[in-house]
Amino acid sequence: MALSPARDGLSTFYFLLNMKVLVATEKPFAKVAVDGIREVVEGAGYELALLEKYTEKQQLLEAVADVDALIIRSDKVDAEVLDAAKQLKIVVRAGAGYDNIDLEAATAHKVVAMNTPGQNSNAVAELALGLMVYAVRNFYNGTSGTELMGKKLGIHAFGNVGRNVARIAQGFGMEVYAYDAYCPDEVMTAAGVTPVHSAEELYRTCGIVSLHIPATAETKNSINHDLVNLMPKGGMLVNTARKEVIDEEGLIALMQERADLKYITDIMPVADAKFRTLFENRYFATPKKMGAQTAEANINAGIAAAKQIVDFLENGNTRFQVN
Ligand code: 3PG
């Protein structure tokens, strides 16, 4: 419990005593990452609580009741959770995408929301390339596949993950292109990547497109029938970003029209059963989102989250605030 629990502004400094930090992860971190988080949290003199592999929202609602800070992954923090978290001052999404936090509600509750950008991006990028190899080798079914070397890879959004994908793909000898409305051409060219200036141009140019866009009002359902239809014969779409950016029915319709297209994803679509039934050998989804599920990514993102919490509570540092 804090001596000064009043939440009279997002940048309030807290006089600290027995602060309680909850790690709430439906998909838990590696143990070594939890150990690292514990070291940071207890090192600051705070208490650490764990809620791992929970199955019901009610468990989260109960666990947040007396905590000052919260570390989550893709766990949903909405107005109901924030209402239940009467003492909450900060929530840190240990990872990049924070579409699982209701930012407006967090602000209304005077709770600071942060992410830990870049901390798990190599892990996601390695998985993207791994999925590509798996798919071009026909899911290791014993038949002859193709290679990545010399193929054109389109990176849709050149953020932390996209940049790591470019680096690794260059190691495979791929020709790398990228489209990102918010990233200057020079950043891409400095990385040996050819910038293109519209999503349409990217999909028209590249036989493999790797998605790295966040799920926002602007991007939801934006990867649709007409866009993917621009891809050359044998095109493959790889999604390690978010399922919400895909117009699933549009993609299903397109894959029915074009037997040459493949969809490979680390985020199981809502229509997974339909994709599986209709597109045997052209569709693959990991059973659970695996991109950031490495010890290294868990350690990097989890410990960064813990340090950001301590730095915020002790010093008011809001560097990674997203609300
Ligand atoms: C992210 O946004 O950081 C990634 O999608 C990883 O999500 P996860 O922590 O739920 O695996």
Side-chain angles (χ1 to χ4, degrees):
M1 183 195 302
L3 281 181
S4 169
R7 292 190 286 179
D8 55 355
L10 289 183
S11 61
T12 306
F13 283 74
Y14 298 94
F15 297 96
L16 315 166
L17 190 66
N18 297 333
M19 283 277 171
K20 185 168 174 184
V21 180
L22 173 71
V23 175
T25 46
E26 176 271 324
K27 185 176 62 185
F29 290 123
K31 185 185 174 300
V32 62
V34 177
D35 292 346
I37 293 170
R38 184 180 299 285
E39 211 173 296
V40 174
V41 169
E42 293 183 350
Y46 308 163
E47 178 188 343
L48 182 74
L50 292 179
L51 176 69
E52 294 179 315
K53 285 191 191 171
Y54 60 94
T55 48
E56 305 298 328
K57 186 176 186 184
Q58 188 57 32
Q59 294 170 272
L60 179 61
L61 294 177
E62 284 164 22
V64 296
D66 63 345
V67 305
D68 302 280
L70 179 59
I71 296 175
I72 52 164
R73 296 184 63 177
S74 290
D75 309 81
K76 288 208 171 12
V77 172
D78 58 14
E80 196 185 358
V81 174
L82 291 157
D83 280 343
K86 297 274 179 270
Q87 293 186 186
L88 192 67
K89 296 150 187 71
I90 176 168
V91 54
V92 183
R93 192 283 190 243
Y98 45 86
D99 46 305
N100 50 322
I101 304 177
D102 182 335
L103 294 184
E104 272 181 31
T107 304
H109 285 76
K110 296 192 168 34
V111 170
V112 167
M114 294 186 187
N115 66 348
T116 64
Q119 300 290 350
N120 59 16
S121 45
N122 180 66
V124 179
E126 285 191 11
L127 187 84
L129 268 295
L131 290 173
M132 286 175 214
V133 173
Y134 183 51
V136 297
R137 294 305 185 95
N138 301 331
F139 310 105
Y140 307 150
N141 69 2
T143 63
S144 274
T146 58
E147 298 178 23
L148 294 178
M149 184 183 263
K151 304 297 187 305
K152 290 182 177 163
L153 171 66
I155 299 182
H156 194 163
F158 205 62
N160 288 312
V161 181
R163 290 168 209 205
N164 276 288
V165 168
R167 172 181 54 77
I168 302 167
Q170 285 160 346
F172 275 87
M174 300 186 84
E175 222 180 284
V176 185
Y177 296 77
Y179 169 64
D180 188 329
Y182 304 98
C183 177
D185 284 3
E186 305 79 72
V187 174
M188 297 180 192
T189 47
V193 169
T194 306
V196 299
H197 299 104
S198 68
E200 287 74 15
E201 195 185 343
L202 190 76
Y203 286 69
R204 206 176 287 122
T205 308
C206 300
I208 303 177
V209 170
S210 192
L211 286 172
H212 303 292
I213 50 178
T216 63
E218 191 190 337
T219 63
K220 279 183 186 160
N221 296 315
S222 66
I223 311 304
N224 56 29
H225 174 286
D226 293 357
L227 183 63
V228 183
N229 195 25
L230 296 173
M231 293 187 78
K233 192 167 171 13
M236 178 162 88
L237 182 65
V238 179
N239 185 3
T240 54
R242 288 290 181 271
K243 67 170 183 280
E244 291 82 359
V245 302
I246 304 287
D247 171 1
E248 293 185 8
E249 289 308 318
L251 183 58
I252 288 170
L254 177 65
M255 287 175 71
Q256 285 178 304
E257 288 160 32
R258 284 186 53 178
D260 60 302
L261 295 177
K262 285 193 178 110
Y263 180 48
I264 312 299
T265 180
D266 185 35
I267 312 94
M268 192 176 280
V270 176
D272 170 64
K274 204 162 166 183
F275 273 101
R276 255 187 300 130
T277 313
L278 291 171
F279 310 121
E280 210 191 335
N281 299 324
R282 293 200 283 139
Y283 165 75
F284 173 77
T286 53
K288 191 120 187 148
K289 188 160 65 134
M290 292 302 294
Q293 200 60 325
T294 67
E296 293 89 339
N298 290 174
I299 290 168
N300 292 344
I303 293 179
K307 286 184 174 165
Q308 286 172 215
I309 284 171
V310 173
D311 202 15
F312 170 71
L313 293 174
E314 302 286 331
N315 308 313
N317 188 338
T318 53
R319 176 161 172 220
F320 295 105
Q321 186 170 352
V322 293
N323 65 334

